[in-house]
């Protein structure tokens, strides 16, 4: 097994070569040398580190999305209640103005 890695290109193509012998077992000294295993171990270690970084970033993005949704829901709730109170206030002012105008009209009728 031979791991051919290119350290300058992180996302580049990686080549792994396997040899499969069927029949009598043949020993080839050129396959699976220690230096090949070191390269493969380094590639696996880098892949694990990258996967750990990606998991951390995914967790961060999920938490950020959750916080933003909570803020959006809270803001939406406050805007809805503000609108209800504002409508009630405007309705009360309208009733007050109508009563005031009626009182003015009734007082002029007596004058």
């Amino acid at each position: 097994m031979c791991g051919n890695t290119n350290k300058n290109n992180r996302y580049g193509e990686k080549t792994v070569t396997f040899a499969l012998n069927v029949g009598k077992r043949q020993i080839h000294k050129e396959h699976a040398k220690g230096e090949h295993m070191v390269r493969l171990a380094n590639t696996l270690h880098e892949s694990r580190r990258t996967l750990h970084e990606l998991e951390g970033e995914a967790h961060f993005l999920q938490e950020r999305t959750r916080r933003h949704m909570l803020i959006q829901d809270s803001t939406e709730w406050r805007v809805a209640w503000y609108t209800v109170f504002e409508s009630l206030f405007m309705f009360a002012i309208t009733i007050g103005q109508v009563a005031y105008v009626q009182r003015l009209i009734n007082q002029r009728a007596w004058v």
Side-chain angles (χ1 to χ4, degrees):
M1 183 165 47
C2 177
N4 187 8
T5 62
N6 184 357
K7 293 186 179 190
N8 293 331
N9 189 355
R10 183 174 180 180
Y11 299 105
E13 184 176 315
K14 307 287 186 205
T15 305
V16 178
T17 307
F18 292 96
L20 177 65
N21 293 324
V22 179
K24 291 183 180 180
R25 183 175 179 177
Q26 297 178 0
I27 299 175
H28 293 285
K29 293 183 178 181
E30 60 190 57
H31 294 291
K33 292 182 180 177
E35 62 194 38
H36 297 144
M37 292 300 177
V38 170
R39 286 189 210 158
L40 183 61
N42 288 341
T43 302
L44 287 174
H45 177 69
E46 186 175 336
S47 297
R48 283 186 186 136
R49 185 182 56 78
T50 304
L51 179 62
H52 183 68
E53 289 174 1
L54 287 174
E55 286 174 344
E57 187 173 343
H59 179 70
F60 168 75
L61 291 174
Q62 286 174 346
E63 285 299 312
R64 185 174 73 174
T65 302
R66 185 186 62 80
R67 283 192 312 267
H68 284 269
M69 291 298 290
L70 288 174
I71 291 169
Q72 180 182 352
D73 290 342
S74 173
T75 303
E76 187 177 307
W77 183 255
R78 282 185 276 150
V79 166
W81 277 110
Y82 177 77
T83 304
V84 168
F85 287 131
E86 184 180 23
S87 297
L88 289 174
F89 179 73
M90 294 299 285
F91 185 69
I93 292 295
T94 303
I95 290 174
Q97 286 178 345
V98 168
Y100 179 71
V101 169
Q102 281 181 347
R103 195 174 70 178
L104 283 176
I105 291 174
N106 287 339
Q107 285 178 0
R108 284 199 178 247
W110 290 100
V111 175

